Amino acid sequence: MPELPDVEVFKQYADATALHQTIEGLDVTRDEVLNLPEQELKAHVTGRRFESTRRHGKHLFLRMEPDNWLMLHFGMTGELKYFKKENQAPVHTRVLFHFDNGYHLAYDCQRLLGEVDITDDLENYIKERELGPDALSLDFDSFKARLENRRGMIKSALMNQEIIAGIGNVYSDEILFQARLHPKTKVSDLDKDTLKTLFDAMRDVLQTAIDCQADPDQFPASFLIPHRSKDDDCPQDGGEVTQIKVSGRNAYYCPDCQKMPS
DNA sequence: AGTACCACCTGACGGC
DNA sequence: TGCCGTCAGGTGGTAC
């Protein structure tokens, strides 16, 4: 479930491994993940180098000179792996980049729900995709402005990439748990102080997760995610973690800690 | 505008 | 042991 923290870790990984090496070629094992013809992808990438990276929400962009970007989206099961020996390639490698130093970068995507694309205009790409501002980049005033006049439930709003980019099903549960808000709380029921609490929880959860390499085993004991299964114990008060449906998604929360405002 | 529901896809898991 | 239905969850489309 690559959400913002997971993709940020991929970005840091790419920065530490795959930059400034000439890409000699690439292999596409499954072209379902491509948003453009394989030959076009090859034409854009072959002979170039990744010079820097950017992340926007759940999207990762790798810049090639002069101003051309490889876009990677990871769907539910994607990941990156940089390695030397061919037999170290992950099982579900879909696109494999070959560098001139003998190393390779694999885009692995088990369920084929990810996307690989090219753009020469990153800002416009984000705009065309109707992505809102990145969850770690926007300030409180903007956060508040984007939620005002929404009539739906807060969990749905947090997961809506047009409002804020980067938060998915798992981290929305964690943010709402830390903010002590019921996932079905109406956005219109949140006053300014509660919105501030939510905003602070959002930033804290995402940054903490990044600091933990998005690895639930390293999360603080106060986090819900490692207990995010039916009938597990709430890390706050030992209450019973409960599963409900919110806009068709599974939401986990603690009914004792997260009450609906009345 | 918001929600419910379906589909895409693969593999893990539980039931029998 | 082995088959089968169900589910996960990001995104997008459709119907209401």
Side-chain angles (χ1 to χ4, degrees):
Chain A
M1 7 86 229
E3 303 182 28
L4 187 153
D6 311 88
V7 179
E8 179 64 26
V9 172
F10 297 156
K11 171 181 158 46
Q12 293 173 5
Y13 181 78
D15 287 344
T17 59
L19 299 188
H20 316 307
Q21 304 148 36
T22 300
I23 304 158
E24 293 190 329
L26 70 149
D27 290 316
V28 176
T29 325
R30 296 289 294 267
D31 64 5
E32 296 99 309
V33 298
L34 301 186
N35 276 357
L36 75 173
E38 181 177 337
Q39 291 313 317
E40 267 182 49
L41 176 66
K42 286 184 170 167
H44 274 98
V45 170
T46 303
R48 315 289 284 283
R49 301 185 302 177
F50 298 129
E51 302 292 357
S52 62
T53 62
R54 269 189 58 182
R55 182 191 55 70
H56 187 99
K58 304 172 189 175
H59 294 252
L60 178 62
F61 298 87
L62 296 95
R63 187 178 61 87
M64 298 169 285
E65 296 288 349
D67 198 17
N68 203 14
W69 301 81
L70 174 74
M71 190 290 293
L72 300 177
H73 187 277
F74 297 93
M76 293 193 298
T77 54
E79 60 179 342
L80 292 178
K81 188 179 176 189
Y82 182 81
F83 60 94
K84 186 156 194 178
K85 295 182 179 170
E86 291 274 3
N87 63 9
Q88 293 173 297
V91 180
H92 309 289
T93 297
R94 308 310 189 190
V95 181
L96 189 55
F97 301 89
H98 308 293
F99 297 110
D100 64 350
N101 62 357
Y103 280 77
H104 316 273
L105 180 70
Y107 169 81
D108 178 283
C109 191
Q110 184 203 110
R111 289 179 210 173
L112 298 171
L113 297 177
E115 293 174 48
V116 175
D117 207 350
I118 292 282
T119 179
D120 58 9
D121 187 342
L122 190 148
E123 302 305 328
N124 191 50
Y125 192 88
I126 290 167
K127 199 172 165 185
E128 279 178 359
R129 292 293 182 109
E130 299 183 313
L131 295 173
D134 181 76
L136 277 180
S137 301
L138 87 173
D139 60 21
F140 175 62
D141 286 342
S142 171
F143 176 81
K144 180 167 165 289
R146 299 186 73 81
L147 286 175
E148 270 168 355
N149 305 318
R150 293 273 168 184
R151 289 181 287 119
M153 299 176 282
I154 186 59
K155 180 174 168 70
S156 309
L158 287 176
M159 289 196 299
N160 184 339
Q161 302 301 299
E162 294 180 35
I163 302 178
I164 307 165
I167 299 166
N169 201 27
V170 173
Y171 282 96
S172 63
D173 279 354
E174 187 67 58
I175 291 163
L176 292 169
F177 178 70
Q178 297 302 332
R180 303 291 182 253
L181 287 170
H182 190 289
K184 286 193 169 182
T185 306
K186 290 270 198 302
V187 176
S188 54
D189 286 345
L190 303 174
D191 59 24
K192 190 178 176 184
D193 287 350
T194 311
L195 279 173
K196 184 65 166 66
T197 301
L198 179 62
F199 176 75
D200 291 343
M202 175 182 79
R203 290 191 60 85
D204 182 63
V205 164
L206 296 175
Q207 191 57 56
T208 301
I210 291 167
D211 294 343
C212 294
Q213 297 292 298
D215 176 4
D217 290 343
Q218 297 180 42
F219 286 175
S222 59
F223 266 41
L224 175 72
I225 288 174
H227 306 274
R228 197 177 169 278
S229 59
K230 217 175 161 214
D231 301 334
D232 206 330
D233 295 333
C234 164
Q236 177 71 20
D237 69 352
E240 201 168 83
V241 174
T242 302
Q243 181 197 52
I244 56 173
K245 290 279 184 190
V246 178
S247 298
R249 324 305 304 246
N250 284 324
Y252 295 85
Y253 76 111
C254 172
D256 300 328
C257 299
Q258 298 168 261
K259 306 273 193 200
M260 289 282 261
S262 46

